[in-house]
Amino acid sequence: MRNLDLFNSNPCNAIQTIGDGVVFLSEFALSNEQDLLTSLHQLVALSPFTKMYTPSGLAMSVTTTSCGLAGWVSDAYGYRYSKKNPSTNLPWPQMPESFLQLAQQAADTAGYKNFVPDSCLINRYQAGAKMSLHQDKNEKDFSQPIVSVSLGLPATFLFGGLAREDKTIRLPLEHGDVVVWGGPARLFFHGVLPIKAGKHPGLGEQRINLTFRKAL
Ligand code: MD6
Ligand code: FE
């Protein structure tokens, strides 16, 4: 059993408060894993992963796609939400029911009631890909939490505070783990250390992260 399972002997129900407003739900996404992975594969077939560029022109190390009413995009004009996929000029695929249910159940379990995400950003990390420390601040309503679902290869999540210089903690994330942050932690800096090469039995040589938000 993992040493994070402090409050419940059933790892599927382990709930751990990491800090004020940050809740870690060990393996929370595994209860409906098959529907989730089926939906993921359908989404990626409709709207493949693409590379995004930061406003300063640097290629991000992850590739991304989205579903829902709005998708997170980045280009020379900045970071923002767009109702269309810039690489197809079509609306993003609808958010699958299995995604919506997972996000709402996770938010609920973490104490954030009535979460209605309208956007799910899907990031694909191959070995070496990372996410630098940043705040999520392109959303309209900071009273709504962020729900982050990890699938595939393990990762180390960094969680800091409201200032970039604040000390960060390292949170190891494995397939099926969910982190929810909101309230006092909504604008905390966070990031992902470079993913180590490996092979996950279900998802292969990649980490997939689903980030649910109320963007609009
Ligand atoms: C992750 N992603 O991929 C975390 N935030 O595990 C993020 O925190 C994130 O990919 C804001 C905008 C894009 C992102
Ligand atoms: Fe983020």
Side-chain angles (χ1 to χ4, degrees):
M1 197 195 309
R2 294 170 59 187
N3 60 8
L4 287 162
D5 301 335
L6 295 178
F7 300 127
N8 198 311
S9 59
N10 173 2
C12 293
N13 290 321
I15 306 170
Q16 196 185 15
T17 299
I18 300 296
D20 201 11
V22 187
V23 179
F24 171 79
L25 304 170
S26 178
E27 298 186 339
F28 192 86
L30 295 188
S31 60
N32 197 17
E33 183 183 9
Q34 279 325 310
D35 283 349
L36 213 58
L37 295 184
T38 300
S39 298
L40 175 67
H41 293 130
Q42 287 169 349
L43 282 172
V44 170
L46 280 173
S47 197
F49 289 108
T50 59
K51 239 185 199 324
M52 297 269 183
Y53 291 83
T54 66
S56 54
L58 297 174
M60 294 181 73
S61 60
V62 295
T63 53
T64 71
T65 186
S66 282
C67 63
L69 281 180
W72 184 85
V73 299
S74 174
D75 60 20
Y77 302 100
Y79 302 120
R80 65 191 178 282
Y81 284 93
S82 168
K83 290 186 179 179
K84 282 185 179 172
N85 177 346
S87 51
T88 60
N89 213 31
L90 293 170
W92 299 100
Q94 215 186 338
M95 192 181 299
E97 197 55 38
S98 59
F99 277 37
L100 184 64
Q101 270 189 16
L102 168 64
Q104 291 184 322
Q105 282 169 6
D108 227 65
T109 305
Y112 298 101
K113 306 296 174 198
N114 307 311
F115 179 48
V116 186
D118 54 17
S119 177
C120 174
L121 170 67
I122 308 168
N123 281 327
R124 176 175 192 238
Y125 294 74
Q126 289 174 291
K130 65 181 173 68
M131 182 75 57
S132 306
L133 270 188
H134 66 276
Q135 295 169 293
D136 285 17
K137 52 183 185 186
N138 301 123
E139 302 75 29
K140 286 227 170 77
D141 181 0
F142 296 150
S143 76
Q144 297 297 309
I146 306 270
V147 174
S148 170
V149 179
S150 291
L151 298 168
L153 287 178
T156 302
F157 202 71
L158 296 177
F159 233 108
L162 285 173
R164 185 178 290 279
E165 313 73 55
D166 287 349
K167 186 175 102 53
T168 55
I169 59 151
R170 291 174 175 220
L171 187 60
L173 295 179
E174 293 186 23
H175 180 69
D177 289 348
V178 178
V179 187
V180 183
W181 64 97
R186 177 61 181 75
L187 290 172
F188 277 10
F189 275 87
H190 57 278
V192 181
L193 290 182
I195 299 295
K196 293 194 177 120
K199 191 164 186 173
H200 182 268
L203 278 163
E205 298 176 359
Q206 59 182 347
R207 170 180 187 251
I208 302 284
N209 177 260
L210 313 177
T211 312
F212 294 91
R213 306 184 177 105
K214 168 93 175 72
L216 303 178

